[in-house]
Amino acid sequence: MSDSISSSARSVPVAIRWQGEGTSGRLHILDQTQLPARQAWLQCGDVDAVVEAIRSLRVRGAPAIGIVGAYGMVVAAAEALQRGLGGAALADHLRVRAGQLATARPTAVNLRWAVERCTAALGGLPADASAAACHGRLLAVARGIHDEDRRLCAAIGRHGADILPPGDILTHCNTGCLATGGEGTALAVITTAWDRGQRFMVFADETRPLFQGARLTAWELVQRGVPVTVLVDAAACHLLSTGRIAACIVGADRIAANGDTANKIGTHGLAVLAAAHGVPFFVAAPSSTFDLTLADGSGIPIEERPAAEVLAPLGVPAAPAGAAAYNPAFDVTPARLIRAIVTERGVISPVSRERVAAVLGAVG
Ligand code: MRU
Protein backbone atom coordinates (compact mmCIF):
# COMPACT_ATOMS: atom_id res chain seq x y z
CA MET A 1 0.00 0.00 0.00
CA SER A 2 1.26 3.48 -0.72
CA ASP A 3 0.91 4.84 2.80
CA SER A 4 1.22 3.59 6.34
CA ILE A 5 1.43 4.69 9.96
CA SER A 6 3.77 3.27 12.57
CA SER A 7 2.31 1.35 15.46
CA SER A 8 4.45 0.20 18.37
CA ALA A 9 5.15 -3.19 16.80
CA ARG A 10 5.03 -2.56 13.06
CA SER A 11 3.82 -0.37 10.25
CA VAL A 12 0.05 -0.51 9.65
CA PRO A 13 -1.30 0.41 6.19
CA VAL A 14 -3.90 3.16 6.02
CA ALA A 15 -6.78 3.74 3.61
CA ILE A 16 -7.96 7.19 4.82
CA ARG A 17 -5.78 10.30 5.12
CA TRP A 18 -6.38 13.92 6.08
CA GLN A 19 -3.58 15.84 4.40
CA GLY A 20 -2.59 19.45 4.94
CA GLU A 21 -2.91 21.89 7.79
CA GLY A 22 -5.76 24.10 8.96
CA THR A 23 -8.46 24.94 6.46
CA SER A 24 -6.31 23.88 3.50
CA GLY A 25 -6.41 20.21 4.58
CA ARG A 26 -8.02 17.68 2.23
CA LEU A 27 -9.60 14.23 2.62
CA HIS A 28 -7.93 11.45 0.63
CA ILE A 29 -9.40 7.96 0.27
CA LEU A 30 -7.80 4.84 -1.18
CA ASP A 31 -10.34 3.82 -3.85
CA GLN A 32 -11.15 0.26 -2.81
CA THR A 33 -13.21 -0.44 -5.92
CA GLN A 34 -9.91 -0.54 -7.84
CA LEU A 35 -8.17 -3.05 -5.57
CA PRO A 36 -6.29 -5.28 -5.96
CA ALA A 37 -5.42 -4.15 -9.50
CA ARG A 38 -4.58 -0.50 -8.72
CA GLN A 39 -3.84 1.63 -5.68
CA ALA A 40 -5.51 4.90 -6.60
CA TRP A 41 -6.06 7.72 -4.10
CA LEU A 42 -9.10 9.94 -4.45
CA GLN A 43 -9.28 13.52 -3.13
CA CYS A 44 -12.78 14.46 -1.97
CA GLY A 45 -13.26 18.14 -2.89
CA ASP A 46 -16.81 18.46 -1.56
CA VAL A 47 -19.42 16.58 0.46
CA ASP A 48 -21.07 15.22 -2.69
CA ALA A 49 -17.79 13.45 -3.48
CA VAL A 50 -17.59 12.05 0.07
CA VAL A 51 -21.17 10.73 -0.14
CA GLU A 52 -20.46 9.22 -3.56
CA ALA A 53 -17.32 7.51 -2.23
CA ILE A 54 -19.30 5.96 0.63
CA ARG A 55 -22.26 4.90 -1.56
CA SER A 56 -20.13 3.30 -4.23
CA LEU A 57 -17.89 1.54 -1.67
CA ARG A 58 -14.72 3.38 -2.62
CA VAL A 59 -14.46 3.45 1.16
CA ARG A 60 -16.35 0.75 3.04
CA GLY A 61 -16.45 -1.17 6.28
CA ALA A 62 -18.40 0.16 9.26
CA PRO A 63 -15.63 1.92 11.23
CA ALA A 64 -14.04 3.34 8.06
CA ILE A 65 -17.24 4.95 6.81
CA GLY A 66 -17.74 6.43 10.29
CA ILE A 67 -14.30 8.04 10.12
CA VAL A 68 -14.95 9.32 6.59
CA GLY A 69 -18.38 10.61 7.66
CA ALA A 70 -16.65 12.68 10.37
CA TYR A 71 -14.07 14.04 7.94
CA GLY A 72 -17.00 14.71 5.60
CA MET A 73 -18.32 17.17 8.18
CA VAL A 74 -14.96 18.98 8.03
CA VAL A 75 -15.35 19.13 4.25
CA ALA A 76 -18.84 20.60 4.83
CA ALA A 77 -17.32 23.36 6.99
CA ALA A 78 -14.73 24.03 4.28
CA GLU A 79 -17.58 24.42 1.75
CA ALA A 80 -19.22 26.95 4.11
CA LEU A 81 -15.96 28.88 4.38
CA GLN A 82 -15.60 29.00 0.60
CA ARG A 83 -19.15 30.27 0.22
CA GLY A 84 -18.73 32.86 2.99
CA LEU A 85 -21.59 31.40 5.05
CA GLY A 86 -22.25 32.47 8.63
CA GLY A 87 -25.08 32.56 11.18
CA ALA A 88 -28.28 30.71 10.21
CA ALA A 89 -27.03 29.95 6.67
CA LEU A 90 -23.96 28.22 8.12
CA ALA A 91 -26.05 26.23 10.60
CA ASP A 92 -28.47 25.18 7.83
CA HIS A 93 -25.64 24.12 5.55
CA LEU A 94 -23.99 21.97 8.23
CA ARG A 95 -27.33 20.41 9.19
CA VAL A 96 -28.17 19.46 5.59
CA ARG A 97 -24.69 18.07 4.96
CA ALA A 98 -24.80 16.10 8.23
CA GLY A 99 -28.08 14.51 7.10
CA GLN A 100 -26.64 13.56 3.71
CA LEU A 101 -23.52 12.05 5.24
CA ALA A 102 -25.30 10.16 8.03
CA THR A 103 -27.68 8.49 5.56
CA ALA A 104 -25.24 7.73 2.74
CA ARG A 105 -25.55 4.03 3.69
CA PRO A 106 -28.21 2.76 6.09
CA THR A 107 -26.92 -0.33 7.87
CA ALA A 108 -23.59 0.49 9.54
CA VAL A 109 -24.48 2.54 12.61
CA ASN A 110 -20.90 3.88 12.91
CA LEU A 111 -21.67 6.40 10.16
CA ARG A 112 -24.59 7.98 12.02
CA TRP A 113 -22.68 7.70 15.32
CA ALA A 114 -19.67 9.61 13.97
CA VAL A 115 -21.72 12.35 12.31
CA GLU A 116 -23.74 12.77 15.50
CA ARG A 117 -20.51 13.13 17.48
CA CYS A 118 -19.55 15.94 15.12
CA THR A 119 -22.86 17.77 15.39
CA ALA A 120 -22.82 17.39 19.18
CA ALA A 121 -19.36 19.00 19.26
CA LEU A 122 -20.69 21.95 17.24
CA GLY A 123 -23.34 22.40 19.91
CA GLY A 124 -20.54 23.37 22.31
CA LEU A 125 -19.60 26.43 20.17
CA PRO A 126 -21.21 29.87 20.58
CA ALA A 127 -24.32 30.36 18.37
CA ASP A 128 -22.48 32.97 16.25
CA ALA A 129 -19.36 30.80 15.70
CA SER A 130 -17.68 31.34 12.32
CA ALA A 131 -17.24 28.70 9.63
CA ALA A 132 -13.51 28.70 10.48
CA ALA A 133 -14.27 27.97 14.14
CA CYS A 134 -16.63 25.14 13.11
CA HIS A 135 -13.96 23.77 10.79
CA GLY A 136 -11.37 23.73 13.57
CA ARG A 137 -13.71 22.01 16.00
CA LEU A 138 -14.86 19.42 13.45
CA LEU A 139 -11.31 18.62 12.38
CA ALA A 140 -10.35 17.95 16.01
CA VAL A 141 -13.35 15.63 16.43
CA ALA A 142 -12.72 13.75 13.17
CA ARG A 143 -9.03 13.28 13.98
CA GLY A 144 -10.04 12.11 17.44
CA ILE A 145 -12.43 9.49 16.01
CA HIS A 146 -9.74 8.33 13.57
CA ASP A 147 -7.04 8.04 16.28
CA GLU A 148 -9.47 6.39 18.67
CA ASP A 149 -10.36 3.74 16.10
CA ARG A 150 -6.69 2.77 15.78
CA ARG A 151 -6.55 2.17 19.53
CA LEU A 152 -9.86 0.27 19.55
CA CYS A 153 -8.65 -2.04 16.78
CA ALA A 154 -5.50 -2.84 18.74
CA ALA A 155 -7.53 -3.64 21.86
CA ILE A 156 -9.98 -5.81 19.89
CA GLY A 157 -7.01 -7.65 18.40
CA ARG A 158 -5.58 -8.38 21.85
CA HIS A 159 -8.86 -9.50 23.44
CA GLY A 160 -9.75 -11.66 20.44
CA ALA A 161 -6.32 -13.29 20.15
CA ASP A 162 -6.65 -14.34 23.80
CA ILE A 163 -9.64 -16.55 22.96
CA LEU A 164 -8.96 -17.63 19.35
CA PRO A 165 -8.66 -21.43 19.38
CA PRO A 166 -5.66 -23.06 17.67
CA GLY A 167 -6.30 -24.20 14.10
CA ASP A 168 -7.46 -22.78 10.77
CA ILE A 169 -9.86 -19.85 10.56
CA LEU A 170 -12.71 -18.97 8.23
CA THR A 171 -13.70 -15.33 7.70
CA HIS A 172 -16.19 -13.41 5.55
CA CYS A 173 -15.98 -10.00 3.85
CA ASN A 174 -13.17 -7.59 4.79
CA THR A 175 -12.55 -6.40 8.32
CA GLY A 176 -8.93 -5.21 8.22
CA CYS A 177 -7.08 -1.94 7.79
CA LEU A 178 -9.13 -1.10 4.70
CA ALA A 179 -12.34 -1.28 6.75
CA THR A 180 -11.15 0.64 9.83
CA GLY A 181 -8.72 3.31 11.00
CA GLY A 182 -6.32 0.70 12.39
CA GLU A 183 -5.53 -2.99 11.99
CA GLY A 184 -9.16 -4.00 11.76
CA THR A 185 -11.65 -5.90 13.88
CA ALA A 186 -11.91 -9.61 13.02
CA LEU A 187 -8.77 -9.31 10.91
CA ALA A 188 -6.92 -7.63 13.80
CA VAL A 189 -7.74 -10.68 15.95
CA ILE A 190 -6.25 -12.89 13.24
CA THR A 191 -3.10 -10.80 12.67
CA THR A 192 -2.54 -10.30 16.41
CA ALA A 193 -2.73 -14.07 16.98
CA TRP A 194 -0.34 -14.56 14.06
CA ASP A 195 2.11 -12.01 15.48
CA ARG A 196 1.98 -13.86 18.80
CA GLY A 197 3.19 -16.98 17.03
CA GLN A 198 -0.07 -18.87 16.46
CA ARG A 199 0.10 -20.58 13.04
CA PHE A 200 -2.91 -21.30 10.82
CA MET A 201 -4.41 -20.90 7.37
CA VAL A 202 -6.97 -18.12 6.92
CA PHE A 203 -9.80 -19.15 4.61
CA ALA A 204 -11.48 -16.07 3.11
CA ASP A 205 -14.94 -16.36 1.56
CA GLU A 206 -14.78 -14.44 -1.72
CA THR A 207 -17.92 -12.54 -0.52
CA ARG A 208 -20.22 -12.10 -3.48
CA PRO A 209 -21.29 -9.96 -5.15
CA LEU A 210 -18.53 -7.38 -4.56
CA PHE A 211 -15.71 -9.78 -3.62
CA GLN A 212 -14.48 -7.97 -0.52
CA GLY A 213 -12.99 -11.26 0.71
CA ALA A 214 -11.14 -12.12 -2.49
CA ARG A 215 -10.15 -8.60 -3.51
CA LEU A 216 -9.47 -6.98 -0.13
CA THR A 217 -8.98 -9.53 2.67
CA ALA A 218 -6.70 -11.72 0.57
CA TRP A 219 -4.80 -8.61 -0.55
CA GLU A 220 -4.27 -7.44 3.03
CA LEU A 221 -3.18 -10.86 4.27
CA VAL A 222 -0.79 -11.46 1.37
CA GLN A 223 0.87 -8.12 2.23
CA ARG A 224 1.05 -9.12 5.89
CA GLY A 225 2.62 -12.47 5.06
CA VAL A 226 -0.29 -14.40 6.60
CA PRO A 227 -1.28 -17.44 4.50
CA VAL A 228 -4.70 -17.04 2.90
CA THR A 229 -6.89 -19.31 0.79
CA VAL A 230 -9.89 -17.87 -1.07
CA LEU A 231 -13.01 -19.97 -1.52
CA VAL A 232 -16.33 -19.35 -3.22
CA ASP A 233 -18.99 -18.59 -0.62
CA ALA A 234 -20.83 -21.81 -1.47
CA ALA A 235 -17.74 -23.89 -0.52
CA ALA A 236 -17.92 -22.87 3.14
CA CYS A 237 -20.27 -25.72 4.09
CA HIS A 238 -18.00 -28.36 2.60
CA LEU A 239 -14.93 -26.80 4.21
CA LEU A 240 -16.62 -26.83 7.62
CA SER A 241 -17.66 -30.45 7.11
CA THR A 242 -14.01 -31.48 6.70
CA GLY A 243 -13.37 -30.58 10.34
CA ARG A 244 -10.46 -28.36 9.35
CA ILE A 245 -11.87 -25.06 10.64
CA ALA A 246 -11.31 -24.28 14.34
CA ALA A 247 -13.25 -20.99 14.34
CA CYS A 248 -15.18 -18.55 12.18
CA ILE A 249 -14.65 -14.85 12.88
CA VAL A 250 -16.36 -11.89 11.21
CA GLY A 251 -16.96 -8.18 11.76
CA ALA A 252 -20.22 -6.28 12.21
CA ASP A 253 -22.10 -3.29 10.84
CA ARG A 254 -24.65 -2.93 13.63
CA ILE A 255 -25.24 -4.93 16.81
CA ALA A 256 -28.54 -4.67 18.70
CA ALA A 257 -28.82 -4.62 22.51
CA ASN A 258 -29.39 -8.40 22.64
CA GLY A 259 -26.34 -9.17 20.47
CA ASP A 260 -28.14 -9.80 17.16
CA THR A 261 -25.55 -8.78 14.57
CA ALA A 262 -25.89 -7.29 11.09
CA ASN A 263 -22.92 -7.99 8.84
CA LYS A 264 -22.18 -8.66 5.17
CA ILE A 265 -24.73 -10.80 3.35
CA GLY A 266 -23.85 -14.45 3.86
CA THR A 267 -22.78 -14.04 7.49
CA HIS A 268 -26.02 -15.46 8.88
CA GLY A 269 -25.75 -18.49 6.60
CA LEU A 270 -22.16 -19.01 7.71
CA ALA A 271 -23.20 -18.86 11.38
CA VAL A 272 -25.89 -21.49 10.76
CA LEU A 273 -23.34 -23.71 9.05
CA ALA A 274 -20.81 -23.20 11.85
CA ALA A 275 -23.44 -24.22 14.44
CA ALA A 276 -24.37 -27.29 12.38
CA HIS A 277 -20.72 -28.38 12.41
CA GLY A 278 -19.98 -27.47 16.03
CA VAL A 279 -17.53 -24.71 15.07
CA PRO A 280 -17.44 -21.59 17.30
CA PHE A 281 -18.60 -18.39 15.58
CA PHE A 282 -17.07 -15.11 16.76
CA VAL A 283 -17.91 -11.47 15.98
CA ALA A 284 -15.40 -8.64 16.52
CA ALA A 285 -16.53 -4.99 16.63
CA PRO A 286 -15.90 -1.73 18.47
CA SER A 287 -18.50 -0.28 20.84
CA SER A 288 -19.38 2.30 18.13
CA THR A 289 -21.01 -0.56 16.17
CA PHE A 290 -23.58 -1.25 18.90
CA ASP A 291 -27.00 0.34 18.61
CA LEU A 292 -28.50 -0.04 22.06
CA THR A 293 -31.65 1.78 20.95
CA LEU A 294 -32.63 -1.43 19.15
CA ALA A 295 -33.84 -4.24 21.39
CA ASP A 296 -33.03 -6.85 18.76
CA GLY A 297 -31.92 -7.21 15.17
CA SER A 298 -35.40 -6.94 13.64
CA GLY A 299 -35.11 -3.14 13.60
CA ILE A 300 -31.79 -3.01 11.73
CA PRO A 301 -32.27 -1.48 8.25
CA ILE A 302 -30.85 -3.72 5.54
CA GLU A 303 -29.34 -1.95 2.56
CA GLU A 304 -30.51 -3.13 -0.87
CA ARG A 305 -27.93 -2.48 -3.55
CA PRO A 306 -28.17 -2.14 -7.35
CA ALA A 307 -29.13 -5.20 -9.42
CA ALA A 308 -26.11 -4.68 -11.66
CA GLU A 309 -23.78 -5.82 -8.85
CA VAL A 310 -25.36 -9.30 -9.08
CA LEU A 311 -26.18 -9.45 -12.78
CA ALA A 312 -22.78 -8.20 -13.93
CA PRO A 313 -20.22 -8.94 -11.17
CA LEU A 314 -17.06 -6.86 -11.61
CA GLY A 315 -18.72 -5.46 -14.73
CA VAL A 316 -18.91 -8.80 -16.56
CA PRO A 317 -22.47 -9.82 -17.57
CA ALA A 318 -23.39 -13.10 -15.83
CA ALA A 319 -27.16 -13.26 -16.38
CA PRO A 320 -29.40 -12.62 -19.38
CA ALA A 321 -30.93 -9.22 -20.01
CA GLY A 322 -34.41 -9.22 -18.51
CA ALA A 323 -33.48 -11.17 -15.36
CA ALA A 324 -34.13 -9.38 -12.06
CA ALA A 325 -31.75 -9.51 -9.07
CA TYR A 326 -32.14 -9.71 -5.31
CA ASN A 327 -29.25 -7.87 -3.68
CA PRO A 328 -29.45 -7.29 0.09
CA ALA A 329 -26.00 -6.15 1.24
CA PHE A 330 -26.35 -7.40 4.83
CA ASP A 331 -28.14 -9.96 6.96
CA VAL A 332 -28.74 -10.36 10.68
CA THR A 333 -27.20 -13.24 12.64
CA PRO A 334 -29.21 -14.10 15.76
CA ALA A 335 -27.26 -13.76 19.01
CA ARG A 336 -27.83 -17.44 19.85
CA LEU A 337 -25.53 -18.45 16.98
CA ILE A 338 -22.65 -16.27 18.23
CA ARG A 339 -20.18 -17.78 20.74
CA ALA A 340 -18.67 -14.41 21.67
CA ILE A 341 -18.51 -10.77 20.59
CA VAL A 342 -15.05 -9.27 20.97
CA THR A 343 -15.03 -5.53 21.70
CA GLU A 344 -12.31 -3.12 22.80
CA ARG A 345 -13.84 -3.26 26.28
CA GLY A 346 -13.63 -7.02 26.57
CA VAL A 347 -15.36 -10.19 25.41
CA ILE A 348 -19.15 -10.59 25.56
CA SER A 349 -19.88 -14.28 26.17
CA PRO A 350 -22.40 -15.75 26.41
CA VAL A 351 -24.04 -13.28 24.05
CA SER A 352 -27.07 -11.97 25.92
CA ARG A 353 -28.71 -8.63 26.65
CA GLU A 354 -27.31 -8.75 30.18
CA ARG A 355 -23.72 -9.44 29.10
CA VAL A 356 -23.89 -6.78 26.37
CA ALA A 357 -25.02 -4.24 28.96
CA ALA A 358 -22.41 -5.39 31.49
CA VAL A 359 -19.43 -5.19 29.11
CA LEU A 360 -20.45 -2.04 27.26
CA GLY A 361 -22.05 -0.04 30.05
CA ALA A 362 -23.43 3.18 28.57
CA VAL A 363 -22.14 3.55 25.01
CA GLY A 364 -21.91 7.22 24.10
O1 MRU B 1 -20.53 -3.41 2.23
P1 MRU B 1 -19.29 -3.33 3.06
O2 MRU B 1 -18.07 -3.79 2.33
O3 MRU B 1 -19.11 -1.96 3.68
O4 MRU B 1 -19.52 -4.36 4.24
C1 MRU B 1 -18.55 -4.45 5.25
C2 MRU B 1 -18.81 -5.51 6.25
O5 MRU B 1 -19.83 -6.15 6.24
C3 MRU B 1 -17.79 -5.68 7.31
O6 MRU B 1 -17.77 -7.02 7.74
C4 MRU B 1 -18.16 -4.80 8.51
O7 MRU B 1 -18.38 -3.49 8.12
C5 MRU B 1 -17.11 -4.84 9.55
S1 MRU B 1 -15.66 -3.91 9.07
C6 MRU B 1 -14.57 -3.93 10.35
PDB file of all heavy atoms in Angstrom, residues 28-29 63 67 130 185 210 214 221 306 327:
ATOM      1  N   HIS A  28      -8.361  12.376   1.685  1.00  0.00           N
ATOM      2  CA  HIS A  28      -7.925  11.446   0.635  1.00  0.00           C
ATOM      3  C   HIS A  28      -8.362  10.031   1.024  1.00  0.00           C
ATOM      4  O   HIS A  28      -8.197   9.616   2.174  1.00  0.00           O
ATOM      5  CB  HIS A  28      -6.410  11.470   0.468  1.00  0.00           C
ATOM      6  CG  HIS A  28      -5.882  12.796   0.008  1.00  0.00           C
ATOM      7  ND1 HIS A  28      -5.491  13.051  -1.279  1.00  0.00           N
ATOM      8  CD2 HIS A  28      -5.711  13.964   0.680  1.00  0.00           C
ATOM      9  CE1 HIS A  28      -5.093  14.299  -1.399  1.00  0.00           C
ATOM     10  NE2 HIS A  28      -5.211  14.882  -0.210  1.00  0.00           N
ATOM     11  N   ILE A  29      -8.888   9.318   0.033  1.00  0.00           N
ATOM     12  CA  ILE A  29      -9.396   7.961   0.267  1.00  0.00           C
ATOM     13  C   ILE A  29      -8.748   7.017  -0.743  1.00  0.00           C
ATOM     14  O   ILE A  29      -8.688   7.333  -1.935  1.00  0.00           O
ATOM     15  CB  ILE A  29     -10.938   7.953   0.072  1.00  0.00           C
ATOM     16  CG1 ILE A  29     -11.624   8.690   1.213  1.00  0.00           C
ATOM     17  CG2 ILE A  29     -11.475   6.553  -0.060  1.00  0.00           C
ATOM     18  CD1 ILE A  29     -13.087   8.973   0.917  1.00  0.00           C
ATOM     19  N   PRO A  63     -16.412   0.861  10.578  1.00  0.00           N
ATOM     20  CA  PRO A  63     -15.631   1.922  11.229  1.00  0.00           C
ATOM     21  C   PRO A  63     -15.062   2.926  10.225  1.00  0.00           C
ATOM     22  O   PRO A  63     -15.033   4.132  10.496  1.00  0.00           O
ATOM     23  CB  PRO A  63     -14.514   1.151  11.942  1.00  0.00           C
ATOM     24  CG  PRO A  63     -15.079  -0.238  12.136  1.00  0.00           C
ATOM     25  CD  PRO A  63     -15.887  -0.482  10.911  1.00  0.00           C
ATOM     26  N   ILE A  67     -15.419   7.087  10.135  1.00  0.00           N
ATOM     27  CA  ILE A  67     -14.295   8.042  10.117  1.00  0.00           C
ATOM     28  C   ILE A  67     -14.458   9.019   8.940  1.00  0.00           C
ATOM     29  O   ILE A  67     -14.311  10.235   9.094  1.00  0.00           O
ATOM     30  CB  ILE A  67     -12.953   7.276  10.002  1.00  0.00           C
ATOM     31  CG1 ILE A  67     -12.715   6.461  11.277  1.00  0.00           C
ATOM     32  CG2 ILE A  67     -11.795   8.221   9.730  1.00  0.00           C
ATOM     33  CD1 ILE A  67     -11.671   5.344  11.121  1.00  0.00           C
ATOM     34  N   SER A 130     -17.973  31.212  13.763  1.00  0.00           N
ATOM     35  CA  SER A 130     -17.678  31.340  12.323  1.00  0.00           C
ATOM     36  C   SER A 130     -17.489  29.965  11.689  1.00  0.00           C
ATOM     37  O   SER A 130     -17.288  28.956  12.386  1.00  0.00           O
ATOM     38  CB  SER A 130     -16.394  32.161  12.137  1.00  0.00           C
ATOM     39  OG  SER A 130     -15.311  31.405  12.658  1.00  0.00           O
ATOM     40  N   THR A 185     -10.909  -5.293  12.771  1.00  0.00           N
ATOM     41  CA  THR A 185     -11.653  -5.899  13.883  1.00  0.00           C
ATOM     42  C   THR A 185     -11.375  -7.409  13.860  1.00  0.00           C
ATOM     43  O   THR A 185     -10.432  -7.865  14.482  1.00  0.00           O
ATOM     44  CB  THR A 185     -13.151  -5.562  13.759  1.00  0.00           C
ATOM     45  OG1 THR A 185     -13.632  -6.002  12.476  1.00  0.00           O
ATOM     46  CG2 THR A 185     -13.389  -4.071  13.926  1.00  0.00           C
ATOM     47  N   LEU A 210     -19.574  -8.385  -4.328  1.00  0.00           N
ATOM     48  CA  LEU A 210     -18.530  -7.382  -4.564  1.00  0.00           C
ATOM     49  C   LEU A 210     -17.130  -7.876  -4.217  1.00  0.00           C
ATOM     50  O   LEU A 210     -16.167  -7.119  -4.315  1.00  0.00           O
ATOM     51  CB  LEU A 210     -18.877  -6.077  -3.822  1.00  0.00           C
ATOM     52  CG  LEU A 210     -20.150  -5.394  -4.347  1.00  0.00           C
ATOM     53  CD1 LEU A 210     -20.471  -4.130  -3.570  1.00  0.00           C
ATOM     54  CD2 LEU A 210     -20.028  -5.056  -5.827  1.00  0.00           C
ATOM     55  N   ALA A 214     -12.171 -11.785  -1.501  1.00  0.00           N
ATOM     56  CA  ALA A 214     -11.139 -12.123  -2.490  1.00  0.00           C
ATOM     57  C   ALA A 214     -10.268 -10.912  -2.817  1.00  0.00           C
ATOM     58  O   ALA A 214      -9.035 -10.998  -2.855  1.00  0.00           O
ATOM     59  CB  ALA A 214     -11.803 -12.653  -3.756  1.00  0.00           C
ATOM     60  N   LEU A 221      -3.922  -9.774   3.610  1.00  0.00           N
ATOM     61  CA  LEU A 221      -3.179 -10.859   4.268  1.00  0.00           C
ATOM     62  C   LEU A 221      -1.920 -11.232   3.493  1.00  0.00           C
ATOM     63  O   LEU A 221      -0.888 -11.537   4.101  1.00  0.00           O
ATOM     64  CB  LEU A 221      -4.094 -12.073   4.475  1.00  0.00           C
ATOM     65  CG  LEU A 221      -5.182 -11.859   5.543  1.00  0.00           C
ATOM     66  CD1 LEU A 221      -6.143 -13.041   5.597  1.00  0.00           C
ATOM     67  CD2 LEU A 221      -4.575 -11.610   6.923  1.00  0.00           C
ATOM     68  N   PRO A 306     -27.744  -2.036  -5.947  1.00  0.00           N
ATOM     69  CA  PRO A 306     -28.174  -2.141  -7.346  1.00  0.00           C
ATOM     70  C   PRO A 306     -28.098  -3.564  -7.904  1.00  0.00           C
ATOM     71  O   PRO A 306     -27.173  -4.329  -7.581  1.00  0.00           O
ATOM     72  CB  PRO A 306     -27.195  -1.221  -8.081  1.00  0.00           C
ATOM     73  CG  PRO A 306     -26.707  -0.266  -7.047  1.00  0.00           C
ATOM     74  CD  PRO A 306     -26.709  -1.013  -5.750  1.00  0.00           C
ATOM     75  N   ASN A 327     -30.593  -8.240  -4.111  1.00  0.00           N
ATOM     76  CA  ASN A 327     -29.248  -7.872  -3.683  1.00  0.00           C
ATOM     77  C   ASN A 327     -29.206  -7.171  -2.325  1.00  0.00           C
ATOM     78  O   ASN A 327     -28.787  -6.024  -2.218  1.00  0.00           O
ATOM     79  CB  ASN A 327     -28.592  -6.985  -4.758  1.00  0.00           C
ATOM     80  CG  ASN A 327     -27.107  -6.781  -4.506  1.00  0.00           C
ATOM     81  OD1 ASN A 327     -26.491  -7.508  -3.723  1.00  0.00           O
ATOM     82  ND2 ASN A 327     -26.521  -5.788  -5.172  1.00  0.00           N
TER      83      ASN A 327
END
